[in-house]
Amino acid sequence: MISLPSMRRTLLCLVLATAVPRVAGAASAPPDSAAVVAVVEEYQEGLRRGAPDRVRAVLGSSFIMFNGARSGDPKDWEVHMYLAGSELDAWPGRFVAGSGPHENSIRVVRVHVRRDAALVVTEETGRNRFRQWQEELVTYLLGREDGRWRI
């Protein structure tokens, strides 16, 4: 039979083992949903205003774009491009000029932040030079680089 003091110690250890990781994780990186959403909104604003410098300013050191192949099912998704270095630096200028004008309205569906990573899911309706979309789900993956959130 377990003694009462032993049971109390065991119970205290269980409480500490389950509570401490959550408290420590929360204290080291509080969720910053507003800042993450602001980055996605700035990216969109840069496209709408035809401002490649604004677009580049919110991109990180690398950028991957994939599309849903007009499907909400991840099994149908396709990779579109991956850019880094000088290719990434040049892309906003080519993209903004080549596919504009951009019109897009976004509604944030979900934001999830964990430490230095964030996910923003939006529902978007708009058009550019090549296509139109209606209530399309778009997922943005962000990371915190040098203290700033970047796509």
Side-chain angles (χ1 to χ4, degrees):
M1 182 166 228
I2 300 175
S3 68
L4 190 56
S6 175
M7 189 183 309
R8 284 184 186 152
R9 270 192 308 257
T10 303
L11 194 56
L12 178 62
C13 287
L14 285 172
V15 168
L16 288 174
T18 58
V20 170
R22 277 182 274 177
V23 171
S28 65
D32 195 1
S33 297
V36 169
V37 170
V39 169
V40 172
E41 290 173 340
E42 176 63 14
Y43 173 77
Q44 290 296 328
E45 190 65 18
L47 292 176
R48 279 191 294 272
R49 293 189 179 272
D53 291 343
R54 288 177 77 168
V55 172
R56 180 60 185 103
V58 296
L59 299 179
S61 56
S62 65
F63 180 65
I64 189 166
M65 186 183 288
F66 54 94
N67 64 59
R70 306 218 182 348
S71 171
D73 186 345
K75 293 182 287 187
D76 296 330
W77 294 356
E78 302 168 343
V79 70
H80 181 64
M81 67 179 176
Y82 172 83
L83 300 170
S86 61
E87 288 182 2
L88 177 58
D89 291 336
W91 176 77
R94 285 192 318 269
F95 181 68
V96 169
S99 62
H102 296 266
E103 295 177 20
N104 198 32
S105 63
I106 68 171
R107 182 178 70 84
V108 176
V109 176
R110 181 160 195 260
V111 177
H112 181 76
V113 179
R114 183 171 185 197
R115 294 186 180 92
D116 290 333
L119 172 87
V120 177
V121 179
T122 61
E123 186 178 82
E124 303 188 10
T125 297
R127 66 182 180 91
N128 64 21
R129 182 180 196 174
F130 302 109
R131 67 184 204 91
Q132 293 184 339
W133 51 94
Q134 179 77 30
E135 297 175 350
E136 188 170 277
L137 287 177
V138 178
T139 302
Y140 297 87
L141 304 173
L142 293 88
R144 194 183 337 242
E145 293 182 5
D146 300 321
R148 291 184 53 207
W149 286 105
R150 308 284 184 116
I151 298 173

